[in-house]
Amino acid sequence: MDAYERITRNAAEVVTEEEVEALAEDPDGKRAYVGYEPSGVLHIGHLLTANKLIDLQKAGFDVVILLADVHAYLNDKGSFEEIRETAERMQEQFLAYGLDEESTEFRYGSEFQNDEEYVLDLHELERETSISRAERAMSEIKSGETVTVSQAVYPLMQALDIEYLDVDLAIGGMEQRKVHMLARDVLPKADYEAPTCLHTPLIADLTSGEGKMSSSSGVSISMEDSSEDIEEKVNSAFCPPTADPEDDLENPVLQIFEYHVFPRYEEVVVERPEQYGGNLTYDSYADLEADLDSGELHPADAKSALADYLDDLIAPGRERLRELRD
């Protein structure tokens, strides 16, 4: 797998392809960034972008993780003291999940977002941006039903963060797309370059195949889940015997295999009793998907294997959380 393939695999979108191709020509030492509000235990959404960060490190990138304490405060996620404590735990979880410590830099927004130069640049972007544009950018990630003034400023700060962290590539889920497109529009107005962006897919709701899996509503999978929790959640997941369910639904079991399991394992073994054909071994997601579609792989067997692999991925972070709490 060449650098471009590794950088872009499982990406929902890159903006632009030409810009990413240029980065892939000489990726060593390039910097990729993703920002997370310190909002609790890592869940499957965090881990999807973390998988992409691991890909980027293998391609030669250094990774910057912004533990966005100021953003979390603006989005009403607690006091600064509470947010900082959460951020420190999140840092430990990311490393336990598999990010390379030597090529991962953790930053807090409060380290630079109160500096005079940053604040003046922020005011410049505020002058160039309408409230309605800021609200549209924030629509997928805001807390509460009403947009506050702080939440209108929030996406402009995200745009500036890309410049002040001196990164070459901005990473985020598809819910961050509007923010990144705002950044590409407004940063040149402050004499900064438009950022190159990569967006990861969203996993559908685990039990219905609809919308987006969320830790705040419905069933999600997180690093504090026990082996039994993971098994129970996966066994109750929506998994029709097809990769493409009707009515605009997704198959979340297959999505998790594609975006979480296969990027981390060279082969996947689905264990089955000999009376049902014995074990199945896959070295690509496409083969597993094809077997589910053909009926060779039963959804129950797919779920059983998925629970085992997810538990293996999450176990180091779960143990680190236990250590931090003792």
Side-chain angles (χ1 to χ4, degrees):
M1 184 182 301
D2 65 22
Y4 181 79
E5 290 174 324
R6 188 173 293 279
I7 292 166
T8 59
R9 73 165 171 173
N10 292 336
E13 178 186 48
V14 294
V15 184
T16 66
E17 287 190 13
E18 292 78 10
E19 293 171 17
V20 175
E21 286 171 354
L23 291 176
E25 289 177 3
D26 184 21
D28 288 344
K30 295 292 194 303
R31 288 161 60 84
Y33 129 96
V34 65
Y36 300 99
E37 283 188 7
S39 55
V41 175
L42 297 189
H43 57 71
I44 204 163
H46 297 108
L47 303 182
L48 197 154
T49 48
N51 286 333
K52 176 46 59 186
L53 297 179
I54 292 170
D55 269 347
L56 290 165
Q57 288 180 330
K58 290 179 178 178
F61 278 71
D62 292 328
V63 163
V64 181
I65 294 180
L66 177 66
L67 298 168
D69 51 350
V70 176
H71 289 85
Y73 183 77
L74 292 175
N75 210 14
D76 198 24
K77 296 296 177 65
S79 68
F80 266 104
E81 182 178 353
E82 293 167 339
I83 292 166
R84 180 58 70 92
E85 290 175 356
T86 301
E88 291 171 354
R89 292 195 299 271
M90 287 181 72
Q91 178 171 332
E92 295 289 336
Q93 293 168 67
F94 276 118
L95 295 176
Y97 186 65
L99 284 163
D100 178 56
E101 187 168 2
E102 290 187 2
S103 58
T104 305
E105 177 185 350
F106 292 93
R107 298 287 304 275
Y108 291 96
S110 55
E111 294 173 14
F112 60 91
Q113 289 167 346
N114 296 318
D115 293 349
E116 181 180 1
E117 183 180 1
Y118 184 98
V119 172
L120 290 175
D121 274 346
L122 179 60
H123 291 334
E124 179 66 22
L125 298 188
E126 291 166 352
R127 285 163 29 118
E128 298 286 349
T129 309
S130 69
I131 287 289
S132 61
R133 180 69 194 280
E135 183 177 357
R136 289 197 304 274
M138 192 66 184
S139 61
E140 299 292 331
I141 53 178
K142 68 182 178 68
S143 296
E145 295 299 319
T146 302
V147 175
T148 63
V149 172
S150 66
Q151 289 173 336
V153 173
Y154 186 114
L156 298 178
M157 293 178 62
Q158 281 190 263
L160 271 185
D161 293 343
I162 296 169
E163 176 62 31
Y164 275 74
L165 291 170
D166 189 27
V167 296
D168 301 285
L169 182 64
I171 309 296
M174 281 298 290
E175 78 279 2
Q176 298 288 339
R177 185 183 191 279
K178 292 180 180 178
V179 172
H180 287 164
M181 295 306 99
L182 176 66
R184 285 182 65 87
D185 286 346
V186 300
L187 281 179
K189 296 175 182 178
D191 295 326
Y192 297 130
E193 292 185 6
T196 302
C197 307
L198 183 151
H199 302 127
T200 57
L202 301 177
I203 303 294
D205 178 77
L206 194 62
T207 56
S208 70
E210 299 174 331
K212 168 191 170 186
M213 190 184 300
S214 172
S215 59
S216 59
S217 63
V219 176
S220 185
I221 295 170
S222 79
M223 268 196 174
E224 63 185 353
D225 284 340
S226 66
S227 301
E228 294 75 20
D229 291 334
I230 293 171
E231 182 178 9
E232 180 179 349
K233 289 178 179 181
V234 172
N235 282 340
S236 64
F238 176 68
C239 184
T242 176
D244 297 303
E246 296 180 354
D247 300 323
D248 296 324
L249 299 179
E250 299 285 351
N251 187 323
V253 168
L254 286 184
Q255 286 183 312
I256 297 171
F257 267 118
E258 182 174 11
Y259 302 131
H260 287 272
V261 176
F262 278 94
R264 300 293 301 275
Y265 296 91
E266 292 187 1
E267 68 174 23
V268 171
V269 178
V270 178
E271 296 182 356
R272 302 188 305 183
E274 289 297 329
Q275 68 189 90
Y276 296 117
N279 294 351
L280 295 168
T281 300
Y282 301 99
D283 58 13
S284 75
Y285 166 75
D287 290 342
L288 185 146
E289 178 189 296
D291 272 6
L292 187 78
D293 270 331
S294 71
E296 176 65 22
L297 174 61
H298 192 277
D301 293 323
K303 289 180 180 182
S304 178
L306 180 60
D308 289 341
Y309 280 98
L310 274 180
D311 186 56
D312 189 56
L313 285 170
I314 285 171
R318 182 171 57 219
E319 178 60 27
R320 187 67 185 120
L321 275 172
R322 186 178 297 118
E323 293 170 356
L324 292 170
R325 289 167 178 165
D326 288 345

